[in-house]
Amino acid sequence: MEEQPSHQSSLVFRLFGGFEACHNGQPIGGLHLRQGERLLAYLILHSPRWVEKADLAKCFWSDRPVGDVDQNLRQSLSFLRQILQVDAVCLETRTGAVRLILNLEQADTLQFEAACARGDSTSLALAQQMAEETLLAGWNYEWIAPFRERYAKKLQQALARASEQNFWGAHRVASGSFAPERQVRPAGGIIPPGSPLYIRRTCDQALTTALQNSEGIVLIKGSRQIGKSSLLARGLRFAHDRHWAVYDTDFEQLAPADLADRDTLYLRLIASLAEQAGQEFSLERDWKTHSGAVGNLERFLRERVLKTTDSPIVWTLDGIDSLFKTDYYNEFFALLRGIHSKRATQPTVPWGRFTLLLATATEAHLYIRDLNQSPFNVGTRIDVADFSRVQCREAAVRYGVALEAADHEHLYELLGGHPYLLMRGLHEMTTQKITVKVFEVMAVQPNGPYHDHLEYLRRFLATDSELLADMRAVLEGRSCSDAGFFRLRSAGVVVGSSPEAARPRCGLYTRYFARHFK
């Protein structure tokens, strides 16, 4: 977090509702002149980030000749310093940029964000009360809309986290386990940070260490439905809690049209990064045709991300497996590798503060032939493994499922340490109040709890004759092909260290696929 000024300012700003600026409890007069109110509001919303003077000029004086724009900006900043007098120390400038440094109590927008971050009931009630009034009510400038959306989203996410924590907190018992209830969180999707259902593994500490060390690239590697996205979410929380600059991209959430061609994707990424930073995206400024897609994205990261904060920066890229279906994936991954290399080749640019946090299931070496162009063989790799027997028992306790040692072993033989299968099974046993033996019968039924999951995998294999032949070889205890082994392991269907050692990931898969493919 940026160091706050030691000067105890008597300035207070209010942006929820109409704009207000007070000094020693009295309204500051004259701010309506020289764009004073608008300029202050813009800087408050971006505080404590640096704002490029070129952005200010375009935002407030785009209809003026270039010479007039520069002059107006200088005059407005000088005017603000005169109005703020001794409190003008909070207005800092450097070559080509300006920022406003405020204490928490000086701006209701900072108080709102802090309340959402704390997440307790009192803080959330305060945030909700603030949000009842429109941000900068009566102002309809384009640069305000992204902040209104951003604050609404922050409050929504904070309320969702609190709801998750409060629900489980109500069911905690003295022993630290959870009583069986009719309603528990269904399995599947990201487990929110703070959820008592989340089982920590060695990969959690490895991720924390890598982020603390500001690694250039951190790769989270694991098969499908093993918990990569939930681990990423905890990495994001770790960075947020330390007030780092955080950017998040989930390629699985992008529409097919966004991935249709290189330029469309890179434009989409730049626009998303700008929105997350609370900056305005300008096609004219942020996209130069002669620079190419790669050059534009790299320049945006350098000029609009790195230069607007002095804190560490984390950009998470989830679902990057989707890019292997495009015809430009080599170029994109070469860009990521190049960013990592720039830590050494461009020492004057603070790339050392920039961390790429990637998550993938794909065996990249099957696609990327030039190892010097791959981001998957540098930095820190964190392998996400299935649950151990001990962790499976802990998960059962979290769900309130009381099992004898023999039942634990039987369940482990059926589902292995597969996080999704185990959580879904425990959910069924809790809500249906059934035993492991009854659940085992249900598990392989056409209308059972895993029907959609198993059907997806069956179709995935059935539509690829070579992969199906490899799966049949595994079921029969024979060695499969090298490429088939890596693809099956990435899909989460088999486990093992080599094609010769490959075996179905769990007993459920052995039974189901043997019935359909043997």
Side-chain angles (χ1 to χ4, degrees):
M1 189 174 186
E2 307 227 17
E3 184 178 352
Q4 300 298 313
S6 58
H7 170 69
Q8 295 298 311
S9 176
S10 52
L11 282 175
V12 176
F13 300 103
R14 180 173 179 266
L15 275 67
F16 284 101
F19 177 82
E20 291 183 7
C22 295
H23 181 270
N24 288 327
Q26 299 298 317
I28 299 175
L31 282 177
H32 64 286
L33 302 173
R34 296 190 181 280
Q35 305 275 21
E37 286 182 338
R38 290 168 58 194
L39 186 56
L40 260 181
Y42 191 94
L43 293 173
I44 293 167
L45 289 173
H46 287 83
S47 177
R49 296 186 297 272
W50 288 101
V51 178
E52 297 295 319
K53 291 182 179 179
D55 293 341
L56 292 173
K58 184 171 183 179
C59 186
F60 297 112
W61 297 282
S62 59
D63 57 339
R64 307 288 180 86
V66 175
D68 291 346
V69 168
D70 294 338
Q71 182 179 357
N72 277 307
L73 179 57
R74 286 195 301 272
Q75 290 176 346
S76 292
L77 291 175
S78 176
F79 173 72
L80 282 181
R81 288 191 177 90
Q82 293 174 16
I83 290 288
L84 299 179
Q85 299 179 12
V86 66
D87 292 300
V89 294
C90 65
L91 189 62
E92 298 182 357
T93 59
R94 70 180 185 190
T95 303
V98 60
R99 68 175 176 178
L100 198 62
I101 298 292
L102 299 173
N103 293 312
L104 182 64
E105 66 273 9
Q106 288 184 264
D108 58 354
T109 50
L110 298 179
Q111 296 163 20
F112 174 86
E113 294 199 60
C116 289
R118 288 193 299 270
D120 60 89
S121 58
T122 302
S123 297
L124 291 180
L126 174 63
Q128 286 181 292
Q129 182 180 0
M130 289 181 177
E132 288 176 358
E133 296 191 78
T134 303
L135 183 72
L136 294 173
W139 291 15
N140 297 309
Y141 307 113
E142 290 184 2
W143 50 269
I144 301 174
F147 287 95
R148 289 172 177 162
E149 295 173 4
R150 172 184 169 186
Y151 290 151
K153 185 176 180 180
K154 274 184 176 290
L155 179 57
Q156 182 182 21
Q157 291 174 336
L159 291 171
R161 289 195 300 269
S163 176
E164 176 83 17
Q165 293 164 1
N166 291 340
F167 177 82
W168 287 108
H171 297 86
R172 189 179 298 275
V173 296
S175 65
S177 63
F178 292 84
E181 291 293 326
R182 293 295 297 176
Q183 294 182 347
V184 295
R185 185 184 186 277
I190 299 175
I191 300 178
S195 169
L197 292 182
Y198 185 75
I199 304 296
R200 286 181 59 85
R201 291 171 272 187
T202 55
C203 55
D204 288 83
Q205 183 56 52
L207 176 58
T208 298
T209 301
L211 291 174
Q212 288 175 327
N213 293 339
S214 296
E215 295 284 356
I217 290 179
V218 181
L219 174 66
I220 296 176
K221 181 71 172 64
S223 60
R224 183 174 176 268
Q225 291 187 312
I226 202 168
K228 298 185 298 297
S229 295
S230 294
L231 180 59
L232 268 184
R234 277 143 187 85
L236 287 173
R237 169 60 70 86
F238 179 86
H240 274 301
D241 288 347
R242 283 150 185 78
H243 305 285
W244 295 356
V246 176
Y247 300 86
D248 181 29
T249 301
D250 186 350
F251 287 90
E252 291 184 351
Q253 299 302 315
L254 298 180
D258 292 325
L259 299 171
D261 63 81
R262 179 189 58 186
D263 285 5
T264 300
L265 173 65
Y266 283 56
L267 274 168
R268 179 76 173 82
L269 290 176
I270 292 174
S272 174
L273 292 170
E275 180 181 1
Q276 292 181 62
Q279 301 182 27
E280 291 184 66
F281 170 71
S282 167
L283 187 63
E284 179 182 353
R285 176 193 58 202
D286 297 321
W287 190 266
K288 306 296 182 184
T289 305
H290 65 273
S291 297
V294 171
N296 280 302
L297 179 54
E298 182 187 321
R299 180 167 53 84
F300 185 88
L301 293 173
R302 185 178 63 251
E303 299 296 329
R304 304 283 303 281
V305 173
L306 281 173
K307 288 189 177 180
T308 56
T309 180
D310 296 326
S311 69
I313 302 166
V314 177
W315 183 17
T316 68
L317 295 95
D318 197 5
I320 56 176
D321 307 85
S322 304
L323 291 177
F324 287 104
K325 301 175 184 177
T326 70
D327 58 4
Y328 53 82
Y329 69 85
N330 272 307
E331 180 185 277
F332 182 80
F333 291 132
L335 166 66
L336 301 186
R337 173 62 178 262
I339 290 174
H340 179 268
S341 300
K342 284 178 173 56
R343 287 179 159 227
T345 61
Q346 293 184 358
T348 59
V349 180
W351 291 109
R353 293 191 284 106
F354 189 81
T355 295
L356 289 165
L357 183 53
L358 317 177
T360 182
T362 302
E363 297 287 349
H365 70 272
L366 297 177
Y367 298 87
I368 301 177
R369 300 303 181 188
D370 186 351
L371 295 181
N372 293 322
Q373 297 291 305
S374 174
F376 302 106
N377 57 359
V378 293
T380 296
R381 170 172 167 148
I382 299 173
D383 291 307
V384 186
D386 279 342
F387 289 157
S388 66
R389 280 178 167 82
V390 172
Q391 290 165 339
C392 288
R393 291 192 185 96
E394 183 180 350
V397 171
R398 303 287 182 94
Y399 267 92
V401 179
L403 299 176
E404 298 293 335
D407 287 333
H408 272 298
E409 191 62 27
H410 201 65
L411 190 63
Y412 190 81
E413 289 175 359
L414 178 67
L415 305 179
H418 192 310
Y420 168 74
L421 295 184
L422 180 65
M423 294 298 192
R424 181 63 185 269
L426 293 172
H427 173 266
E428 290 295 320
M429 284 184 276
T430 301
T431 56
Q432 302 298 324
K433 295 191 181 299
I434 57 178
T435 65
V436 171
K437 290 183 178 180
V438 173
F439 171 74
E440 183 180 7
V441 175
M442 291 176 52
V444 294
Q445 297 301 314
N447 60 345
Y450 299 123
H451 173 71
D452 291 343
H453 172 81
L454 294 172
E455 271 297 293
Y456 168 84
L457 293 177
R458 185 189 67 79
R459 290 193 299 269
F460 168 74
L461 295 170
T463 54
D464 189 319
S465 59
E466 292 183 357
L467 203 58
L468 179 56
D470 283 312
M471 187 66 207
R472 283 180 171 143
V474 172
L475 291 170
E476 295 168 3
R478 297 183 287 110
S479 176
C480 62
S481 70
D482 287 355
F485 165 69
F486 288 117
R487 291 182 61 197
L488 288 171
R489 193 172 67 172
S490 294
V493 179
V494 305
V495 292
S497 58
S498 67
E500 294 76 21
R503 64 186 187 280
R505 189 173 177 185
C506 60
L508 177 65
Y509 286 178
T510 300
R511 299 180 195 181
Y512 183 81
F513 294 131
R515 178 196 302 174
H516 285 85
F517 297 140
K518 252 186 156 181

